[in-house]
Amino acid sequence: MVRLGDRWRLWEQFALRGPGFPAAGVLRLAPAGIAEAADKFAHGDLAGAEWTAFEDLFGEAAVATARALQDIARASDFRAAVAWQNRPVLRSGIEPFLAWTPTAAGRTSMPRQREELVAHYWQRFCVKNDTIGFFGPVGWGRWDATARGIEVDPGEGLVARTNVYFASWAIDTLAKTIGADPDLSGWIAPRRVPFVRITDEGVVVPGRPPQPVSAELLAVLAACDGITPARDLDADEELAELVRRRWVVWRLEVPADARPERHLRGWLDRVGDASARDRGLAMLDVLERGRDAVAAAGPDGLVEALSAVEADFSTLTEAAAVREKGSGTAPCRAIVYSDCTRSATARLGVDMVERLAPLDLLLTAAAWLTSTVAERIMGRVRELFDELGPVDLATFWFACMPVLHGSTDAADVQHEFWKRWADILPLAGRRVQVSSVDITDRVREAFGGTEARWAAARYFSPDVMVTDDGDLVLGELHVASNTLGSSLFVNQHPAPEELLAATSVDHPGPRLLPVLPKEHRSRLSARIRHSLVRDEDYYVSLVDHTVDPARPRTVLSADVQVAERSRGLVAVLPDETEFDLADVFSHVLTTMVMDLFRLLPESDHSPRVTIDRMVVARETWRFTAADLAFAGDKSEARRFVSTRRWRGDLPRFVFVVSPAEPRPFFVDFDSPVYVAIFLKAVRRLARTDPLGKFTVTEMLPTPDQTWLVDDQGRGYTSELRFVAVDD
């Protein structure tokens, strides 16, 4: 057991996150001497013989960079990574770029765009600690009393294991196609909608008076349990009426899971009509063979294998094999995706606990965030209960929607959070260094005395980076969430039962977990679905029902009562088990607070803050596009020199966040191509939001401060994701 102070415990295991390409890769795109040559023009006009000579030098450097980018784009592993991300780009952008012969005169608009395309992917693959595919494999580590500092076993190669999964939407589409077979309809089990309640007075739907129905129809509705096939109910007319009233769902559904195809196959295996069963299995067999071919394909055969399985999918389902962006759904657009386990493993010595000591203070403050937001939200929920009195959970849930989705409480609490930290930290200058000993009492006075208000609020998942000299840098601190419980981590663990055992240590008794939609934008997908669920845990379906209806301890919200006890409001399940009502709202509460932890509010400049040997806030600047009026200059060379002038004290390596860009991106101010990408983002922001501000944050650790190595000795950027538990 690893303890941080009196309150916090760290899991024995942690995730080791890092990209799949060496960090030094981005340094290939900073031609030697070009930055120094540009800085000779820090003052004065950009004209004359010396300027002409520099323009020639810049042109030569640009051609050399283009050739380096072609070498990168030609590599099979780079092309495979792009194929997983956005395969059409290979044909529309990469192939024409490779067919081009770089010359200074030939670097017209389109070749430059293709250079930037390759460079943009390259920075993500080299220095972003993403977790996806072989270019962001999931690694693992443990605390070890025999280790000192951080020790790495690189293993063999980069990846120890690769898994290829179907996207849940793809199997849902196939299930819809299979379920349309009229010979299978009788084998599909209809289910009652979670918020439809059966009473002596009839059927109750939230917001409507009871609707009287015939005894026959009520009996069929009560029998729609999602388990009993329609053919056994022998009530097709009644079922059709219940579906028409939207009280019952009667279609082939597949539970949310990392392997949804297994559930679909299991259902087909139970179909008694051999001919219909075989037709469905044959369709599933085709897609599974295609997925297996993708898994077996090497980098050079990946594009062909992906194309083949997508063609089969479109033929079988008559649906597009790739979803459009911006559909409001989760980010998995292709029908299959890959996650991998990193060969390298890490060990942390207990001497590292002392360096992590600042986490004790940060976690205490984070717990105040969760507790205070929950207190305010549940206070409003309590006011609604006082109006409604004891009521079924479905009715109460719908009544709470304005409270849950229209509240400013989280933002108000975050502002109070910043105020309290401002009273603790002496924010002056560019560097703030404090000792945890000096601020412990003030932190505990400002943020102590709270407790977790729902089960998930006991968990915090900090990302910590380690420099090559052993200093620490806090990345993100994920609040009220055990992110290692998500499917992408659990299914890439060599022994998932160990993670389940750790969960049982934290929660010796059952938990109540809300059933969540399969996907919704970036917050929900099969990859990030919480998967550390035990048989003793309960699920409650509020609106969606995405778990196996046959799973024991799964209840519908309409069958749960909201009641008052001496300890507060509780959810009373049909078997009389009671849970704190906040557990019902756990996902909403976690979503409210998960990204709130940030020590300092946004300002035009925020200093680097270090507690002991841990950087807890990196130095940050905010600018408007108007601050870089030179971004639209027609000359690349002038834009590069002007950026060097503007940069001032900004470090060489930074990450940039812009409202006009989908995700943060890396910039090396010594690299003309990364400066070009940066200025393009500035111009885009100027067009979309002239008053909008972009954020520049120092990169720590830098690409030359890596400690994670592979079996070839190549260094990778990385971070350790811990699970901290509030005891």
Side-chain angles (χ1 to χ4, degrees):
M1 181 183 296
V2 179
R3 299 211 65 88
L4 285 174
D6 298 330
R7 180 172 180 176
W8 307 101
R9 169 171 49 85
L10 296 180
W11 270 19
E12 177 192 355
Q13 301 190 48
F14 51 85
L16 173 60
R17 302 183 71 223
F21 289 78
V26 291
L27 303 182
R28 296 172 59 185
L29 304 183
I34 194 65
E36 292 80 358
D39 290 345
K40 293 178 181 178
F41 298 92
H43 306 285
D45 295 333
L46 306 185
E50 289 188 6
W51 175 251
T52 300
F54 174 77
E55 287 186 307
D56 292 341
L57 178 65
F58 187 89
E60 293 170 4
V63 171
T65 299
R67 290 176 180 146
L69 286 166
Q70 286 185 324
D71 289 341
I72 291 167
R74 201 173 285 116
S76 58
D77 52 356
F78 174 84
R79 293 168 62 84
V82 174
W84 279 114
Q85 290 287 283
N86 190 355
R87 195 169 71 257
V89 164
L90 292 174
R91 181 176 297 275
S92 64
I94 306 298
E95 290 181 8
F97 178 57
L98 291 175
W100 170 65
T101 301
T103 63
R107 292 186 64 254
T108 54
S109 174
M110 187 55 70
R112 291 201 306 270
Q113 289 182 41
R114 290 165 179 160
E115 290 174 10
E116 293 165 11
L117 173 71
V118 174
H120 197 81
Y121 276 110
W122 189 234
Q123 59 87 26
R124 182 179 182 187
F125 298 158
C126 290
V127 294
K128 297 288 292 298
N129 296 326
D130 286 339
T131 304
I132 180 169
F134 74 89
F135 46 99
V138 178
W140 292 98
R142 294 175 180 266
W143 289 93
D144 188 336
T146 67
R148 296 290 299 174
I150 186 164
E151 299 179 3
V152 182
D153 177 357
E156 295 184 13
L158 175 70
V159 169
R161 184 180 60 162
T162 298
N163 290 311
V164 176
Y165 302 92
F166 282 112
S168 59
W169 70 266
I171 296 301
D172 287 343
T173 303
L174 180 64
K176 182 179 180 180
T177 301
I178 292 173
D181 187 334
D183 293 335
L184 288 173
S185 62
W187 298 94
I188 298 173
R191 63 168 177 85
R192 175 163 48 110
V193 172
F195 52 82
V196 171
R197 183 161 58 99
I198 300 173
T199 70
D200 294 338
E201 299 176 296
V203 175
V204 177
V205 176
R208 298 180 183 178
Q211 301 178 51
V213 295
S214 67
E216 293 80 11
L217 195 62
L218 206 61
V220 175
L221 176 60
C224 291
D225 55 8
I227 303 170
T228 306
R231 64 194 304 275
D232 292 348
L233 298 178
D234 193 23
D236 285 0
E237 289 186 11
E238 289 84 355
L239 284 175
E241 175 62 16
L242 292 170
V243 171
R244 187 190 68 79
R245 297 192 184 202
R246 299 184 180 179
W247 294 346
V248 160
V249 173
W250 185 18
R251 61 174 178 264
L252 180 54
E253 296 180 305
V254 182
D257 190 77
R259 297 292 189 186
E261 73 280 6
R262 295 176 181 174
H263 292 279
L264 180 56
R265 182 172 292 277
W267 180 83
L268 284 165
D269 285 340
R270 295 191 295 272
V271 170
D273 184 325
S275 177
R277 178 182 66 241
D278 290 347
R279 288 196 297 272
L281 287 172
M283 298 172 74
L284 180 56
D285 287 341
V286 169
L287 286 193
E288 289 191 331
R289 284 195 297 269
R291 177 208 55 200
D292 294 345
V294 169
D300 294 328
L302 179 62
V303 170
E304 182 180 355
L306 287 170
S307 299
V309 71
E310 290 179 356
D312 287 338
F313 176 84
S314 294
T315 299
L316 292 171
T317 65
E318 298 183 352
V322 177
R323 294 190 298 183
E324 294 297 324
K325 285 185 178 181
S327 60
T329 54
C332 187
R333 298 171 58 216
I335 66 169
V336 293
Y337 65 94
S338 171
D339 276 316
C340 302
T341 304
R342 196 176 205 105
S343 294
T345 56
R347 297 189 301 157
L348 280 184
V350 292
D351 58 308
M352 292 291 288
V353 176
E354 182 178 353
R355 298 184 202 177
L356 286 170
L359 274 183
D360 178 13
L361 305 180
L362 302 180
L363 292 169
T364 297
W368 178 89
L369 269 176
T370 64
S371 177
T372 306
V373 170
E375 182 180 0
R376 296 192 182 189
I377 294 297
M378 295 310 294
R380 300 182 193 280
V381 168
R382 175 62 200 233
E383 292 173 1
L384 273 173
F385 178 82
D386 291 342
E387 293 178 16
L388 298 175
V391 67
D392 68 275
L393 178 58
T395 298
F396 194 66
W397 175 260
F398 279 92
C400 288
M401 287 300 100
V403 170
L404 299 177
H405 297 289
S407 169
T408 63
D409 288 303
D412 294 342
V413 170
Q414 187 178 45
H415 280 85
E416 177 63 25
F417 180 77
W418 289 331
K419 274 185 59 178
R420 297 188 182 203
W421 271 112
D423 293 336
I424 295 170
L425 296 173
L427 299 178
R430 294 187 59 187
R431 299 287 184 268
V432 175
Q433 174 77 55
V434 297
S435 165
S436 58
V437 173
D438 293 339
I439 65 171
T440 292
D441 290 343
R442 279 180 284 166
V443 170
R444 290 182 176 167
E445 181 180 352
F447 300 111
T450 61
E451 61 182 28
R453 294 293 302 270
W454 70 98
R458 293 183 58 211
Y459 286 122
F460 299 84
S461 301
D463 293 331
V464 177
M465 292 165 281
V466 186
T467 66
D468 54 352
D469 61 3
D471 288 338
L472 307 182
V473 180
L474 179 70
E476 293 182 282
L477 200 168
H478 305 276
V479 175
S481 176
N482 175 2
T483 57
L484 296 195
S486 61
S487 176
L488 81 97
F489 287 109
V490 173
N491 286 290
Q492 270 55 247
H493 192 280
E497 64 275 8
E498 295 179 359
L499 303 182
L500 281 167
T503 302
S504 292
V505 171
D506 304 334
H507 303 283
R511 294 170 295 171
L512 181 64
L513 306 171
V515 174
L516 302 178
K518 285 188 178 180
E519 56 179 40
H520 182 260
R521 296 186 178 89
S522 62
R523 289 293 186 187
L524 291 172
S525 71
R527 294 185 73 242
I528 60 177
R529 188 177 186 82
H530 186 72
S531 298
L532 293 179
V533 182
R534 306 159 300 169
D535 292 342
E536 60 264 38
D537 293 326
Y538 287 86
Y539 266 130
V540 57
S541 294
L542 296 165
V543 178
D544 296 274
H545 192 92
T546 57
V547 299
D548 187 350
R551 181 193 182 275
R553 298 196 168 191
T554 300
V555 299
L556 306 184
S557 58
D559 299 336
V560 176
Q561 290 296 306
V562 179
E564 185 173 14
R565 299 289 186 264
S566 59
R567 67 179 187 273
L569 298 181
V570 298
V572 184
L573 276 54
D575 66 0
E576 301 301 323
T577 303
E578 296 181 359
F579 290 94
D580 191 302
L581 188 63
D583 287 332
V584 173
F585 297 89
S586 61
H587 179 70
V588 175
L589 290 170
T590 293
T591 301
M592 285 182 177
V593 302
M594 188 172 185
D595 298 325
L596 287 187
F597 188 90
R598 195 172 72 246
L599 285 186
L600 308 178
E602 290 184 341
S603 62
D604 288 346
H605 174 258
S606 300
R608 179 195 297 180
V609 180
T610 305
I611 303 177
D612 300 337
R613 294 184 62 182
M614 177 184 286
V615 175
V616 297
R618 286 166 283 184
E619 190 172 11
T620 300
W621 301 259
R622 298 179 75 233
F623 304 97
T624 65
D627 294 325
L628 287 78
F630 57 84
D633 195 306
K634 299 300 183 183
S635 165
E636 275 190 285
R638 282 199 301 268
R639 289 200 301 265
F640 183 68
V641 171
S642 298
T643 302
R644 302 284 301 177
R645 289 176 170 180
W646 166 85
R647 171 194 161 201
D649 293 331
L650 294 182
R652 174 181 172 182
F653 304 113
V654 299
F655 282 102
V656 177
V657 176
S658 169
E661 303 301 318
R663 56 177 62 90
F665 59 94
F666 163 85
V667 175
D668 175 0
F669 284 117
D670 283 10
S671 166
V673 69
Y674 282 123
V675 167
I677 290 172
F678 167 61
L679 295 180
K680 178 177 283 188
V682 171
R683 295 193 297 272
R684 186 178 294 117
L685 178 60
R687 291 193 300 270
T688 58
D689 183 6
L691 300 179
K693 290 193 173 185
F694 61 90
T695 303
V696 177
T697 302
E698 61 175 330
M699 180 185 186
L700 284 178
T702 57
D704 56 354
Q705 292 180 309
T706 59
W707 55 267
L708 175 63
V709 295
D710 62 15
D711 56 352
Q712 304 298 312
R714 296 172 296 191
Y716 297 78
T717 64
S718 59
E719 65 189 25
L720 309 178
R721 177 165 294 180
F722 296 103
V723 176
V725 187
D726 186 350
D727 277 342

